[in-house]
Amino acid sequence: MSATLEKGVRVIKEVIDAPIASYFNSCVHCGLCAEACLFYTETGDPKYTPIHKLEPMRRIYEQEYTLLGRLKKMAGLSKPVTDAELKEWQELVYNSCTLCGRCSVVCPVGNDIVYMVRKFREGMSASGNAPDGIKGAAHRTVTIGSPMGVKLPAVKAQMKHVETDYGIPIPLDAEGAEYMVMLSSMEIINFPEYLGAIAKIMQQAGKSWTLCSTAFEATNAGMQIGNSDIARVIVSRIVDGAERLKVKTVISPECGHAYTALRWEGANLIGRPFTFEVKHIIEVLGEFQEQGLLKTDGKETDRLTFHDPCQLARRGGVIKQPRNLMNQVAANFVEMPDAGFMNWCCGGGGGASAIEEGEELRLEAFKKKKSQLEAVKPDRLVTACANCRIVLEEGLEHYQMDIPVVGLTEMIAEHIPEMEAKP
Amino acid sequence: MNELQFLTWVRGTGLNIAVGLFLLGVLWRLIEIYSLGRKKDLSAPRHVAGASGWNTVFRRSIPPEGMVKRSPVSYLGGYAFHIGLAIVVFLFAPHIKLIQSLTGLSWPALPSQFIDLVAVVTLAAMVVVLADRINKPVKRFLSTFEDWFTWTVTFLPVLTGWLAVRHLLFPYTTMLALHILSVEILLVVLPFTKLFHAFTVFGSRWFNGAVNGHKGVAV
Amino acid sequence: MQGPLIDTLALHGVSRRTFLKYCSTLASLMALPPAAGVAMAEAMAAAPAAAKRPSVIWLPFQECTGCTESITRSHSPSIEGMIFDMVSLDYQETLMAAAGHQAEEVLRKTVEANKGQFLLIIDGSVATGLDGAYSCIAGRSNLALLKEIAPHAAAIVAMGSCAAYGGLPKAKPNPTGAVSVSDIVKDKPIVNIPGCPPIPVVMTGVLAHFLTFGSLPDLDKLGRPKAFYGETIHDRCYRRPFYDQGKFAKTFDDEGARNGWCLFELGCKGPVTYNACATVKWNGGTSWPVESGHGCLGCSEPNFWDAGGFYKALSMPANPLRMAAGAAVAGAAAGVAVSFANRAKKKDAKAAHETTTLADLEKSEER
C-alpha cells in the first residue's frame, strides 16, 4: 500500500459533509478571510487567501456531490484534481496555514474555513502530499513514542531531576489518581521546569496526580498531518493509559494542538465519548484559583504580556483563565492589540513549525507578532504553549528582539511558597 | 410582440417559469447540500452562554473587531448594498403588492421618493463593490466568471427598476418589462450560483456557531 | 376671419373669440407653435367656403359604434362636433340618411370622385378568419372592402383601439382572426387614434391638422399622434402624489378610495397607458375614469384586453403561478435523488477506506 491520488480523493469524499457543502455554497469571494490570515497580511500574496487553500477540495465537492457538477464532470467541462495540483497545494494547506482559525471567525457568511482545511489535510496526507517535516514527526511519534524521539527512560531521568531539585515525589502509574498529567516532548527536552511546576502546584492544592508510563506524550502529529488513522493510534495510547489508571481528568500540557487533539478530536477519533475529562493545565490552574487552592507570594514587577495560543483561546475557549492567573502574579500585565479571542498566531501552529522549507515564510509572518509586541514593548512574553514558545523564541531571535519567553504555569509555580522543608 | 404584450408575458408566463425554476432550484440545492449530514461530535461539550449556532447566525452580521478598518469597502459597501437591496425589494409598494398576491402577507410601504434614494445608494454601493473587486488583488485573484456574472444579474434588476420609475432610457412599459425580466433571470440563476448564499448563509453560520459553540467558543 | 363655419358657430352661441381660443388650445395640445392655432382657425373657417369640402369616408368594421357614439354624442353641440361641418362626411352608416343600396352607391361614387384625395376613417378591426366572412357589409367582407378602397385614400385614420390594434375582437382566442388596419394596409399613411373609445379632441385635432396642413401630425412608433400619446396617464394623474407617498385605496369603498388615493393596487393601468385622459378629460372636461374612482383599464394600449386582468395591480402576476407547486415537488424530488446518490457514494468511499499506516503517507514512486 502507498499513498495515491485516488486514495486522497476517496478520503476527501469521505470527509465532505453538510457543513462543508454549505460553506462552499456560501462563499461569495469577498476575500475578507485573507485579511484575517497573517500569511496574507504579512506577504500581500493573494494565493494565501484562506478559502483559496481549499480550491481542489471545492472542485471535488462540486464534481462528486452536486448534480450540476456531476453533469459537468461527465461532459468533461470541469478540470479533474491532479496529484501535481495537490502537491502544489501543499504549501498552501500546511506551510501557510497554522489552523489558527482567525479566518473562521471573520467570514461574513459564517464559513468555518479552518474546519475545512483540517478535513482537506485528510486527503492531502492520504495522497502522499503532506510535508516531510510533519510526516517525520508523525513517524517518530508512532514508532518511538514522541515526535522528538523521547522515550520513557528520558522521562524517568527528568522525573528524577525534578524530584531532587524540588524535593517532591513524582508519581508514575499511580492508579486512581485524580489527575493524569501529560507532557509534550518539547517540555521534556527544553522546558523541564514544567514538571517541577506541576509538582509544586499539585502539592499545594493537595490533589493526587500521576504520570503514565505508556502515555506521557500529549502531542499528536497525526492530527497535524491531518490523518485520522494515525491520530487515532496516538490518541488511543492516552485513552488506554487513562482508563488503565482510572483517572478522573487528563491534563493537557502547555501545548495548543495537543489540547485540541485530546479535548476535541480524541473522542471522535476513537468513536466513543471519553470516560474521563480532559483539561488544559491553564483550565486546571483556573479552577484551583477559583477554589482558593492556588496561593502565591509576591508579584513579577517587570512589564509582561500574554500571547494566547490559538488552540487554547480561539479554538479552545480558554481566554479568561490565563488573564486571571497573570493578574495574580504580575503587577505590570499589559495586553497586546488583538489579544485574547482575536490574537494573531505565532506562525508555527498546526504542524507548520515542523516544516523546514516553510521557515522563511514563517519568519515573514512573524512580523505580525513583532508589530503586536512593538505596540506594548514588554520586558517578557508569557504564553501557555510550548510550540508557540519555541516559534516565538526563533522569531524574536531572528528579528533581534530581546524579549524572553516564559511559560505561564512555571511562572505561577515560582510564586508558590515552599510547603515544608525537604525531607 | 409589442411592449404591453412583452410586459404581460413577463408578468405571466415568464414569472411562472422563473418562480417555478427558482423553487425547483432552491429545494433541490438545499436538499442536495444539507442531506450530506454530519457526524455527531462525541467530545464532551463545554456550555457557555452565547456560544451556539443561533447566536452566530445573528452575531456574524456584525463585523469582528478591527476588520472594518482592514477592509472598509467590503464592509461599508456590503452593508449599503445588502440593506439597500432589502429596503428596495421589500418596502417598495408595488413589490409588497406582488408579495401579497403570492403569499397573502403585506406590510406598510415606504414613500417612493425614499425608495428612489435608496436605489441610487444601492447602485452606487454595488459599483463601488465592483470597483473594489477589480482593484483589490485578493478579490481579483478569487474572482471567476461567476463573480462578474452574478454581480451583473444582481445589478440589473435594481438599475432597470430605478430607470423604469424614473422614466429613463426606454418607455415605462418596456422598462418595467425589462425590470421584471431581469428579476426573473436573477431568480433562475440564484440557486445555481454563489447567490445561493442568500439561503446557505444561515446554515453556514449555524454550523460554524454550533461546531465552535460545542467548545464553548462564541464565534 | 369669416365664413359659413363662423356663422354656424355664432348660431350655436359660440363666439369667434371662443373659436380662436379653441384652435390655439388644440394647437398647444398638439405641441404646435402658437401661430398654428391661427392657421388652423383660418383653414377651418375657410374650409366650407372652398369649392369642395374634403371628402371623408368612415367605414365601420368589427366594431361596437362606441367610437361614433363618443364623437357624436358626448360633445353636442360643442365645437368638436362642428368640425364635421368642415368636411364632407360622405359615408358613415350610423349618421347618414341613406341606407341599403343607396348608401353603397354613395360609397362607390365618393371613392370614384375623390380618388387619392379622400380621408378614410375606419373603426373596428378587420376580421380575416374564413376570408373575412365574420364581418360583412352589403354582402362583402370588411377585408375585401378595405383592400379595394384603401389604395384610393389619401390617408387612413384608424379610429379606436379595434382599428388601431385589433381591439376586443382580437382578444384571446380571437375567433374571427381580427387584425388591425395597419396589419392589412402597408402602403398608406395611417394614423392610429387608439382608445376604447378615443378622446374626441384627439380625433378633431388630427382632422384639423389634416385640414390645415394637408398632412398627418407627428406619429410615434405605434402610429399614434405624439402630441396626445406622449405621456402616461400615471405621470399626469392628479392622484400621482398619493402613489409617491405610498397611499393606496385597497378596495373601491374604503377610506383610501373616499380620500381619492392612488388606485394602483386596484389594478389601475395608468403607469403603462399612453393617452391624454388625465389632461384633456372627458365629456367636455367634466371628469375621467380615475377621477370618478376607477382605475385606468389601459384601453388605448395594444392588447390591453389580455394584459392580465383589469383589477390586478401591475406588479401582480398576470396569471396564477401554476408551475410553482409542481416545480417545488420536482425540485424536492431532484434533491432527494441526489441525496441518495450522494449517500451511496459517501458510503462506498467509507467502505473502501484502507486504514492509513505510516508507510501510506508516502507515494510509491518516491520510496
Side-chain angles (χ1 to χ4, degrees):
Chain A
M1 290 208 299
S2 61
T4 58
L5 172 68
E6 188 211 341
K7 237 190 217 176
V9 172
R10 195 172 60 216
V11 168
I12 289 173
K13 283 199 270 184
E14 277 182 65
V15 298
I16 286 174
D17 55 5
I20 292 180
S22 183
Y23 298 154
F24 279 137
N25 279 288
S26 298
C27 179
V28 292
H29 289 170
C30 71
L32 285 174
C33 50
E35 305 296 338
C37 177
L38 78 172
F39 290 96
Y40 169 73
T41 61
E42 302 315 299
T43 63
D45 191 337
K47 75 172 175 181
Y48 295 127
T49 304
I51 196 71
H52 176 65
K53 296 170 184 172
L54 297 158
E55 181 57 19
M57 180 155 87
R58 188 196 65 78
R59 289 221 312 282
I60 291 172
Y61 158 69
E62 192 185 272
Q63 291 164 2
E64 302 295 333
Y65 289 124
T66 69
L67 182 54
L68 286 184
R70 283 172 187 232
L71 294 175
K72 261 163 79 182
K73 188 184 171 192
M74 269 193 269
L77 293 172
S78 63
K79 212 167 62 169
V81 170
T82 62
D83 192 52
E85 188 181 2
L86 292 184
K87 195 171 174 185
E88 190 191 331
W89 246 259
Q90 185 187 93
E91 192 215 353
L92 302 180
V93 182
Y94 292 98
N95 306 23
S96 67
C97 179
T98 61
L99 304 179
C100 83
R102 266 187 130 255
C103 48
S104 291
V105 302
V106 305
C107 175
V109 294
N111 290 350
D112 195 345
I113 300 172
V114 66
Y115 175 94
M116 295 198 275
V117 173
R118 168 67 186 84
K119 300 264 186 183
F120 187 24
R121 285 187 180 186
E122 296 277 354
M124 289 293 281
S125 60
S127 66
N129 287 300
D132 290 336
I134 320 182
K135 276 197 284 199
H139 208 274
R140 286 186 295 277
T141 312
V142 173
T143 54
I144 304 173
S146 100
M148 295 173 89
V150 178
K151 290 185 183 177
L152 187 62
V155 179
K156 282 188 170 158
Q158 281 291 3
M159 287 166 65
K160 198 164 271 173
H161 271 297
V162 172
E163 282 177 340
T164 322
D165 288 357
Y166 291 79
I168 306 169
I170 309 288
L172 182 69
D173 291 335
E175 237 186 81
E178 186 169 358
Y179 294 103
M180 177 169 123
V181 171
M182 306 294 303
L183 301 168
S184 69
S185 34
M186 209 83 89
E187 281 150 344
I188 302 166
I189 294 176
N190 296 336
F191 311 120
E193 317 83 59
Y194 176 75
L195 191 55
I198 296 288
K200 277 181 85 175
I201 291 162
M202 288 296 179
Q203 189 188 41
Q204 190 196 44
K207 299 285 185 183
S208 64
W209 67 290
T210 182
L211 291 180
C212 174
S213 59
T214 53
F216 52 86
E217 172 66 57
T219 60
N220 193 325
M223 189 200 77
Q224 291 177 325
I225 206 167
N227 193 294
S228 290
D229 290 336
I230 291 173
R232 184 182 306 115
V233 171
I234 299 169
V235 90
S236 295
R237 289 179 188 159
I238 300 169
V239 176
D240 293 346
E243 289 181 349
R244 179 168 60 82
L245 298 179
K246 302 184 182 67
V247 296
K248 255 198 239 160
T249 304
V250 171
I251 299 180
S252 168
E254 284 199 351
C255 173
H257 85 263
Y259 178 60
T260 292
L262 202 53
R263 176 69 178 89
W264 306 116
E265 288 209 7
N268 295 308
L269 287 169
I270 64 164
R272 62 175 170 85
F274 285 165
T275 53
F276 50 88
E277 281 189 271
V278 176
K279 282 177 186 155
H280 192 274
I281 180 64
I282 298 298
E283 271 182 293
V284 176
L285 292 180
E287 283 173 12
F288 287 179
Q289 187 185 34
E290 266 182 28
Q291 295 159 7
L293 299 176
L294 191 68
K295 295 180 214 52
T296 54
D297 270 354
K299 288 193 173 190
E300 303 286 331
T301 51
D302 55 348
R303 195 171 164 85
L304 299 180
T305 190
F306 182 75
H307 163 82
D308 290 270
C310 306
Q311 302 301 322
L312 186 62
R314 188 164 42 247
R315 311 277 302 141
V318 181
I319 298 174
K320 270 193 315 231
Q321 295 93 322
R323 292 177 166 72
N324 294 340
L325 292 167
M326 284 295 287
N327 284 325
Q328 182 167 341
V329 295
N332 193 2
F333 169 45
V334 289
E335 291 275 24
M336 288 183 278
D338 295 326
F341 181 66
M342 288 303 278
N343 189 35
W344 294 88
C345 181
C346 63
S353 63
I355 305 167
E356 220 173 299
E357 61 273 23
E359 194 187 348
E360 202 183 325
L361 181 63
R362 231 170 17 250
L363 288 169
E364 190 69 18
F366 190 78
K367 284 182 185 162
K368 192 45 140 189
K369 190 52 60 186
K370 186 167 168 267
S371 75
Q372 267 186 300
L373 288 169
E374 279 164 353
V376 292
K377 297 194 171 50
D379 295 322
R380 279 187 299 160
L381 177 56
V382 185
T383 190
C385 168
N387 188 59
C388 290
R389 203 163 153 183
I390 295 285
V391 176
L392 290 168
E393 279 173 353
E394 278 171 9
L396 290 167
E397 192 189 324
H398 178 82
Y399 289 101
Q400 295 168 342
M401 296 168 80
D402 189 20
I403 304 173
V405 187
V406 293
L408 180 55
T409 308
E410 294 149 42
M411 199 170 80
I412 298 282
E414 278 169 24
H415 288 271
I416 293 180
E418 297 291 326
M419 283 284 283
E420 58 215 52
K422 282 179 191 177
Chain B
M1 191 186 266
N2 61 46
E3 290 94 337
L4 194 65
Q5 279 176 312
F6 178 30
L7 175 63
T8 307
W9 186 87
V10 295
R11 283 175 60 211
T13 313
L15 190 68
N16 194 12
I17 294 171
V19 170
L21 288 176
F22 174 75
L23 288 175
L24 180 137
V26 168
L27 280 165
W28 150 17
R29 299 280 288 127
L30 283 178
I31 297 172
E32 180 179 272
I33 291 165
Y34 293 102
S35 67
L36 275 168
R38 64 174 182 137
K39 279 190 189 157
K40 191 177 183 298
D41 194 337
L42 298 170
S43 65
R46 179 194 283 145
H47 299 288
V48 166
S52 76
W54 286 111
N55 272 286
T56 301
V57 168
F58 295 102
R59 192 185 300 118
R60 203 46 78 87
S61 300
I62 299 155
E65 227 185 291
M67 286 300 287
V68 176
K69 221 189 246 175
R70 283 209 65 95
S71 196
V73 179
S74 301
Y75 280 103
L76 301 181
Y79 274 125
F81 104 76
H82 277 95
I83 295 171
L85 269 183
I87 291 175
V88 171
V89 171
F90 294 112
L91 295 174
F92 185 42
H95 297 166
I96 297 172
K97 192 69 196 164
L98 171 68
I99 294 164
Q100 187 186 13
S101 75
L102 292 176
T103 65
L105 303 170
S106 79
W107 48 86
L110 285 175
S112 51
Q113 288 92 340
F114 181 76
I115 298 289
D116 184 284
L117 178 74
V118 174
V120 172
V121 170
T122 306
L123 289 170
M126 287 196 74
V127 169
V128 169
V129 167
L130 178 72
D132 198 42
R133 185 169 284 287
I134 294 167
N135 280 331
K136 267 227 169 103
V138 168
K139 288 191 183 181
R140 196 171 55 229
F141 176 77
L142 292 176
S143 297
T144 61
F145 169 76
E146 194 182 309
D147 292 284
W148 312 115
F149 176 68
T150 50
W151 182 89
T152 310
V153 297
T154 312
F155 187 74
L156 284 179
V158 192
L159 179 70
T160 52
W162 182 75
L163 289 176
V165 170
R166 282 289 188 98
H167 290 16
L168 296 169
L169 199 63
F170 294 122
Y172 180 78
T173 312
T174 312
M175 213 63 235
L176 178 63
L178 286 173
H179 170 61
I180 297 174
L181 182 69
S182 67
V183 174
E184 285 163 7
I185 292 170
L186 177 67
L187 283 177
V188 172
V189 160
L190 191 140
F192 307 104
T193 58
K194 71 170 188 177
L195 297 176
F196 201 49
H197 77 274
F199 286 85
T200 56
V201 66
F202 303 104
S204 295
R205 287 179 178 184
W206 188 88
F207 277 135
N208 192 342
V211 166
N212 288 288
H214 183 86
K215 303 181 186 180
V217 183
V219 292
Chain C
M1 192 171 64
Q2 280 176 350
L5 178 68
I6 300 298
D7 300 339
T8 321
L9 288 170
L11 210 66
H12 285 96
V14 178
S15 71
R16 180 178 158 276
R17 186 184 171 80
T18 309
F19 177 64
L20 254 176
K21 202 176 152 198
Y22 168 75
C23 287
S24 47
T25 307
L26 199 59
S28 75
L29 265 175
M30 299 182 73
L32 296 169
V38 180
M40 266 183 184
E42 278 169 359
M44 286 192 277
K52 194 176 177 319
R53 292 175 297 170
S55 178
V56 173
I57 296 173
W58 181 312
L59 289 178
F61 289 169
Q62 281 199 120
E63 48 87 43
C64 67
T65 318
C67 298
T68 308
E69 290 285 342
S70 162
I71 279 159
T72 56
R73 182 171 295 174
S74 60
H75 289 76
S76 181
S78 75
I79 300 168
E80 285 92 332
M82 300 298 142
I83 301 281
F84 284 93
D85 292 344
M86 305 171 312
V87 295
S88 170
L89 188 52
D90 295 319
Y91 183 90
Q92 216 292 7
E93 287 178 8
T94 312
L95 302 178
M96 70 199 300
H101 295 298
Q102 281 182 327
E104 295 314 301
E105 186 60 19
V106 170
L107 177 59
R108 196 186 60 75
K109 280 188 176 157
T110 308
V111 173
E112 197 68 33
N114 300 283
K115 271 192 177 163
Q117 282 160 15
F118 65 91
L119 189 65
L120 178 61
I121 299 179
I122 290 169
D123 69 333
S125 61
V126 187
T128 60
L130 299 178
D131 283 335
Y134 284 104
S135 179
C136 298
I137 298 168
R140 301 187 60 209
S141 74
N142 296 162
L143 183 62
L145 210 54
L146 180 63
K147 282 182 174 166
E148 182 194 307
I149 295 175
H152 306 300
I156 300 174
V157 174
M159 188 69 74
S161 293
C162 296
Y165 306 126
L168 293 180
K170 199 185 169 192
K172 276 175 199 154
N174 190 4
T176 65
V179 298
S180 69
V181 171
S182 57
D183 285 333
I184 305 292
V185 182
K186 300 290 183 192
D187 55 356
K188 286 283 164 192
I190 300 175
V191 55
N192 287 331
I193 305 182
C196 191
I199 303 174
V201 75
V202 177
M203 198 175 328
T204 51
V206 173
L207 287 177
H209 194 283
F210 184 72
L211 287 172
T212 311
F213 304 108
S215 66
L216 298 173
D218 263 1
L219 306 177
D220 66 9
K221 69 182 173 55
L222 286 173
R224 306 176 292 201
K226 279 184 188 165
F228 298 102
Y229 297 91
E231 283 178 293
T232 65
I233 299 286
H234 187 59
D235 287 341
R236 288 291 174 182
C237 182
Y238 75 103
R239 298 195 187 204
R240 174 65 185 263
F242 294 115
Y243 173 87
D244 289 333
Q245 290 161 28
K247 290 180 173 166
F248 299 97
K250 311 277 178 187
T251 66
F252 284 109
D253 58 354
D254 70 357
E255 183 74 18
R258 279 191 286 278
N259 290 337
W261 289 357
C262 179
L263 300 166
F264 178 87
E265 293 196 3
L266 289 169
C268 181
K269 301 296 179 294
V272 295
T273 305
Y274 292 80
N275 208 337
C277 305
T279 40
V280 172
K281 300 195 185 180
W282 287 75
N283 300 325
T286 308
S287 182
W288 61 294
V290 170
E291 196 171 339
S292 43
H294 194 287
C296 169
L297 300 182
C299 75
S300 56
E301 289 296 315
N303 303 80
F304 78 94
W305 50 88
D306 280 333
F310 294 152
Y311 299 100
K312 270 187 198 161
L314 264 178
S315 60
M316 283 165 66
N319 304 311
L321 302 179
R322 293 205 177 81
M323 277 173 70
V329 171
V336 169
V338 178
S339 78
F340 274 107
N342 282 351
R343 276 161 180 266
K345 185 176 270 189
K346 205 168 161 178
K347 211 175 135 194
D348 287 350
K350 271 191 185 137
H353 184 90
E354 301 161 61
T355 305
T356 315
T357 63
L358 289 172
D360 299 325
L361 295 175
E362 305 295 338
K363 298 180 195 177
S364 57
E365 62 272 15
E366 284 176 11
R367 272 192 295 165

